[in-house]
Amino acid sequence: MAFNNSIIMTVIFALTLMLLPLMALSQATTTDDNDSSSNLKNKSSSDDNNVVPKKTTTAPIVGTCWDTLNTNEPPEENWGTYYDPKGIFCGDYDCFRILGFCYEEWGKTPPTTKQITQSYRKMGRVWHPDKNTMKGAKERFVKINKAYEVLTDATLRKEFDYMRERPDEYYYKYGSNVLFAYAPKSDTIGVVAFLLLLASVAAWYMQKARWQQIADRVISAAVEGLGPREGGSAQSIEVREQAVIIAQNRKEGATDEKDVSALSTSKADSINGKEKKPKGPKLTKKELKEQANEELRPVIVELVNDMKDFGAGFHQPTWRDILVLKMAKWPVSIFFATVWQLKYFYRRTRKSALNEEEREVLTRRAVGDIAWEAATDEDRQEMVTMDLWITDKLEEWRELQEVRQLSAGDQKRYNRWKKKQGSKVE
């Protein structure tokens, strides 16, 4: 019995030792719960008394100035601008602003490489073409990737920061071609048509000016009555002769009308004893000549204005002078000129004599189109027989033309001097 009691006591003692730690842990847990609940009550009562606003626990990346994860509006509106026409960095956009950092706001603490990487990864998850099916997502992701490459490369980032306010340095390093950009593409056909129209109008007025230049010379020579030796031409002499005849006819017609009225007036004056006498000084011969020339001027101007062509290309402009039509004839003219020249060279290689056509063409080239057109048929025949395509004979012909402009006395003196000296006029 005593043995059994000792065994029972031993078992009870062992169980007591085992339960003691569990009881201590349960008491500690209960104490902690009571303390936390009491602290929570104290804190809630304290918050009710002080009413302090809550602070956000998640802040954006330092330096970001716009919502880089917003897909509701085009991000290019917030990417800013940068002078980079050659695309060395991010083209027309600011690399920092592409990743959400504003140069104007970060002050003396620019974003670190870690911040740049964080922004790049966040934007990459939003704009990656595999995750974003919006139109333009791929192009935007390429720009974001380019901005990240520039800003994480120490050399490129340093150059990017340096050239931000120094576009002249960009010019010196990457060349002048980056300063210019092509304008919007124009319609080539429209531009060519406009230029041809402008050139045609200019050619028309130039032809008008050429004709007017010769017309003014003819009018001046005809009014002054210049002969061949004084600088007058066959046209000016002919115009003056016609003007004199027309002026006389007009004067005779006007005189017949005035005679009738003058006769009646003179009779009345004689009856009343009021006969008129001419007043004013008597004009000299020079003044009378000038007065007669001025009376002929209107008639001469009318006659010259009726002359459409003075020859040698000095004609009033017509539709044939439109530049486009002239250009259309150029291939034909070039073709025939080339054929004629080849035939000429072929005949020279065969040592054939010059025919009439070749002699005329060579003579016209030698004296010029103006002199050729101004000459009469007899003068042209004479020039063809003189072999003027030879230099020495051409000089003699030009000397002869100068002598013909001299007066009769000067021509005689020149001929005597030439026989005596046997040389040309200097």
Side-chain angles (χ1 to χ4, degrees):
M1 186 69 178
F3 177 74
N4 292 335
N5 291 333
S6 61
I7 293 173
I8 292 171
M9 291 297 294
T10 303
V11 172
I12 293 171
F13 180 74
L15 291 173
T16 302
L17 292 176
M18 293 175 66
L19 293 173
L20 282 175
L22 295 174
M23 292 174 64
L25 180 61
S26 175
Q27 185 177 2
T29 303
T30 303
T31 304
D32 292 339
D33 292 340
N34 294 333
D35 292 340
S36 61
S37 60
S38 61
N39 291 334
L40 183 59
K41 290 179 180 180
N42 294 333
K43 184 176 181 180
S44 60
S45 61
S46 176
D47 291 342
D48 293 337
N49 294 331
N50 297 327
V51 190
V52 179
K54 292 184 179 181
K55 295 182 180 180
T56 56
T57 56
T58 58
I61 299 174
V62 177
T64 53
C65 56
W66 62 280
D67 188 2
T68 58
L69 307 182
N70 184 11
T71 59
N72 294 327
E73 60 181 15
E76 291 86 354
E77 296 179 356
N78 300 303
W79 284 0
T81 58
Y82 190 89
Y83 180 76
D84 182 23
K86 205 168 183 179
I88 304 299
F89 307 110
C90 297
D92 296 333
Y93 300 109
D94 189 338
C95 295
F96 280 108
R97 290 189 69 96
I98 290 176
L99 297 179
F101 302 99
C102 295
Y103 172 78
E104 299 82 2
E105 297 182 9
W106 70 56
K108 296 182 179 180
T109 56
T112 62
T113 304
K114 182 179 179 180
Q115 294 171 339
I116 291 172
T117 303
Q118 290 176 353
S119 179
Y120 166 71
R121 289 177 178 174
K122 287 184 177 181
M123 294 184 70
R125 286 192 291 268
V126 174
W127 293 106
H128 196 282
D130 295 340
K131 298 180 179 180
N132 193 325
T133 58
M134 294 176 60
K135 184 179 180 180
K138 182 178 180 180
E139 290 77 10
R140 290 163 180 166
F141 181 77
V142 170
K143 287 290 186 182
I144 294 169
N145 191 54
K146 179 66 175 179
Y148 176 71
E149 292 178 358
V150 171
L151 299 181
T152 54
D153 186 302
T155 303
L156 285 178
R157 177 171 178 175
K158 182 178 180 181
E159 186 178 18
F160 178 81
D161 292 334
Y162 178 76
M163 292 185 177
R164 177 186 294 276
E165 304 295 339
R166 300 174 179 85
D168 54 330
E169 295 291 338
Y170 190 102
Y171 163 76
Y172 288 126
K173 183 170 183 178
Y174 297 108
S176 60
N177 62 325
V178 300
L179 292 177
F180 307 99
Y182 289 103
K185 195 171 183 180
S186 302
D187 185 7
T188 305
I189 297 177
V191 172
V192 172
F194 174 76
L195 293 177
L196 288 176
L197 177 61
L198 189 63
S200 298
V201 174
W204 194 91
Y205 280 103
M206 289 174 63
Q207 182 61 37
K208 178 69 174 179
R210 293 183 65 198
W211 177 87
Q212 191 63 48
Q213 182 181 9
I214 302 300
D216 292 340
R217 292 181 181 178
V218 173
I219 292 173
S220 177
V223 169
E224 296 177 8
L226 301 179
R229 295 183 179 88
E230 289 83 15
S233 62
Q235 291 173 330
S236 64
I237 295 173
E238 182 181 358
V239 168
R240 183 176 178 86
E241 292 175 353
Q242 294 177 0
V244 170
I245 295 172
I246 294 173
Q248 289 178 352
N249 294 335
R250 291 180 180 177
K251 189 174 183 181
E252 290 175 358
T255 303
D256 294 340
E257 295 178 357
K258 289 180 180 179
D259 288 343
V260 177
S261 60
L263 182 60
S264 60
T265 305
S266 62
K267 287 181 178 179
D269 292 338
S270 61
I271 293 171
N272 298 326
K274 297 180 179 179
E275 188 174 355
K276 294 183 179 180
K277 296 181 179 180
K279 296 181 180 180
K282 188 177 180 180
L283 299 177
T284 62
K285 292 182 178 180
K286 183 178 180 181
E287 292 174 344
L288 290 172
K289 184 178 180 180
E290 292 178 353
Q291 183 178 358
N293 290 338
E294 290 301 322
E295 291 177 355
L296 288 175
R297 180 180 291 275
V299 182
I300 292 173
V301 171
E302 291 178 6
L303 294 174
V304 172
N305 288 335
D306 291 337
M307 300 176 66
K308 305 299 182 181
D309 192 355
F310 293 109
F314 295 95
H315 58 268
Q316 290 190 7
T318 62
W319 62 270
R320 294 184 178 87
D321 296 303
I322 299 176
L323 181 62
V324 177
L325 299 180
K326 286 186 175 181
M327 293 175 63
K329 296 179 181 179
W330 287 350
V332 179
S333 302
I334 294 173
F335 172 76
F336 283 109
T338 304
V339 171
W340 187 93
Q341 199 68 36
L342 292 175
K343 290 171 61 178
Y344 174 79
F345 287 142
Y346 175 74
R347 288 175 58 82
R348 299 289 73 75
T349 56
R350 294 177 60 88
K351 298 182 179 180
S352 302
L354 294 173
N355 56 32
E356 291 297 327
E357 181 185 2
E358 292 174 343
R359 297 176 68 89
E360 182 177 335
V361 172
L362 294 176
T363 302
R364 182 167 184 166
R365 289 180 179 177
V367 301
D369 291 335
I370 297 177
W372 180 264
E373 294 291 342
T376 62
D377 294 338
E378 295 178 357
D379 293 336
R380 293 177 184 176
Q381 291 295 331
E382 182 183 0
M383 287 188 289
V384 170
T385 58
M386 293 176 65
D387 299 341
L388 297 180
W389 55 88
I390 301 174
T391 306
D392 294 338
K393 295 185 177 181
L394 179 62
E395 292 180 357
E396 293 178 1
W397 176 81
R398 289 176 177 172
E399 181 180 343
L400 179 62
Q401 300 305 310
E402 294 177 359
V403 172
R404 288 179 177 177
Q405 301 297 324
L406 301 176
S407 62
D410 292 337
Q411 289 187 24
K412 290 180 181 179
R413 284 190 292 270
Y414 167 78
N415 291 330
R416 288 196 299 268
W417 175 84
K418 188 173 183 180
K419 289 179 180 179
K420 184 177 180 180
Q421 300 293 332
S423 61
K424 300 185 298 182
V425 177
E426 295 181 355

